[in-house]
Amino acid sequence: MPVSSPAAPEIGRPATAWWRRGWLRQTALLLLAMSCGVLVANNPFRPSSENPDATARGYLRFKEILSYVDRDYADSVDTEGLADYAVVQMLEKLDPHSVYIPARDREKTDSFLQSDYDGVGIEFNLFRDTMTVVAPLSGGPAEQAGVQPGDQILSLGGKRVSGARLTTARLTELLRGPRGSSVVLELRRRHQPRPLSLSIARSRIPNTSVDAAYLVDEQTGYIKVSRFASNTYDEFKAALADLRRQGLTRLVLDLRGNPGGYLDRATRLADEFIAGSRKIVYTDGKGEQYDSQTYARVAGEFEEGALVVLVDEGSASAAEVVAGALQDHDRALLVGRRTFGKGLVQQPIALSDGGELRLTIARYYTPAGRSIQKPYGANYAEYSAELTGRSARGELQSADSVHFAKALRFRTDHGRTVYGGGGIMPDIFVPRDTLAHSAYYTRLLSRGVARAFALNFYQGHKAELEGLRFEQFNATFRITDAQLVSLAAQAAQVGVNTDVAAVRRCAPLLRNLLKAFIARSAYGPVAYYTVLREQDPELQRALHAVNDSTAQLALLGK
């Protein structure tokens, strides 16, 4: 993730779902979909015996050429680097999602799907090349040591990090370490004349994938699932049960920006909504060893009741399995935009050098028989740019611009028409908010200006905010015109040229975002999501749909 990316937590993933909605997220989403995707359990690898002679000839040819290069080439060469490059190029000829992960990168890649990690528990933001604490994670060692939102971290373990042009990934590495080990943080705090020095012992930090779960009203619940990690199903099950105890009878499940993860966690989550023993997903690979069919098998927590699932172009692989199954069985309405379109299943294969091969071993299909994988060919660059192409074709603004082949038409349980061949098309299309993706607004986010402004406000008004309940804050607090002018002036200092007309157009979004950031620091993540939904057209449409039982029944053909 680039240095300019705002608000990253210690574990190195985006701090909030909001950031994934920007133009800059598209590359990150593609990389996550490639490295994460749909992962199956690690089965023993057995080489194919169908074509052993050709495999042996290819191996000997490569070995011979690499030996000559290493021995006789005019300049010194990095033979391991050349081998890695050759492997990457070979896999790209297969499909876009078969990847080789070197041993040095495995820990970082695997951490995305782990349920916890060893660290100090800090969510941070980079602004003007300075690491600024967004929030210490609740109950973590940083919070217990007294770290506060807005603290600027000058050094970590004696290493200067402020102004050092370090990447978010590198800063994350410095915060993390073996459980029980200590790291000294030098902090600059507002109104403190001298830097503070805190020694913090690292401990186990939960790496949650259910970002938010709360009641919007007395009956309507909202659950945001950011990925399908090792503990996602357990987190989801606990969150859903808690909301049911509070009175939940209808639910909005938010899978926007979810790049996938473990297939079995996704199917277990889907099983909570699907009654009986209906099919959830099936896979089809070479021969029969990777063919599988997964069915609902437990009495789920929410098999009845209105259900809406939010999806967008960042919803990929395992997230598409869930959305496709619920749509095929007419169990839920899908709201948003066409999903990413990744229907290839990767198996992680441990290699002798400590690296890992994630090899495509099958395609997955929805219960109705739809393949979700979008087309790909030999042109890897074209595949990578497909999301940008959707915008150019108008697909993110109009459902009429999305075209599916008639030959790929399928029927849901109640006879509704759905299509395969490139992502899951929602039942209710919501165009992407052009203001939220305007050039000026995107630059404000990418430079971390809005987050830094909100943290500065929080620090300056901490006592007042602590005297208000969130309900009072949410009902009365408003960002003024003067504060927006001040925000624009701060942005200009870091190279975001002032655009008065753009500020005026984005004013409602900026007011809401700044208020949400302040609420996050003062009251926690649920407050953040509660404020954000006021300017979230997709969520507003989903809440309208989940509360309109007549529309639900009509659209689902019941």
Side-chain angles (χ1 to χ4, degrees), residues 28 39 43 61 167 183 196 219 259 261 272 284 301 324 352 375 402 442 503 528:
L39 299 181
N43 297 319
R61 184 183 308 119
T167 64
V183 61
L196 305 174
Q219 294 179 284
E272 291 297 314
D284 184 20
E301 184 76 23
S352 58
V402 184
T442 300
V503 172
Y528 168 82

Side-chain angles (χ1 to χ4, degrees), residues 227 277 386 435 479 492 497 528 530:
R227 65 197 188 284
S277 56
E386 194 269 340
L435 289 179
I479 295 293
N497 295 330
Y528 168 82
T530 300

Side-chain angles (χ1 to χ4, degrees), residues 172-183:
T172 297
E173 289 175 5
L174 292 173
L175 284 169
R176 297 178 64 176
R179 193 182 324 179
S181 63
S182 295
V183 61

Side-chain angles (χ1 to χ4, degrees), residues 246-294:
Q246 296 180 49
L248 175 144
T249 61
R250 46 190 178 240
L251 176 65
V252 174
L253 175 64
D254 192 345
L255 297 180
R256 290 175 295 177
N258 183 321
Y262 291 119
L263 180 61
D264 64 329
R265 273 64 163 191
T267 56
R268 291 177 71 191
L269 186 147
D271 197 356
E272 291 297 314
F273 303 114
I274 296 174
S277 56
R278 287 180 286 181
K279 187 179 293 183
I280 295 176
V281 65
Y282 68 94
T283 63
D284 184 20
K286 183 187 292 184
E288 297 182 355
Q289 62 176 327
Y290 295 121
D291 294 350
S292 67
Q293 299 191 60
T294 303

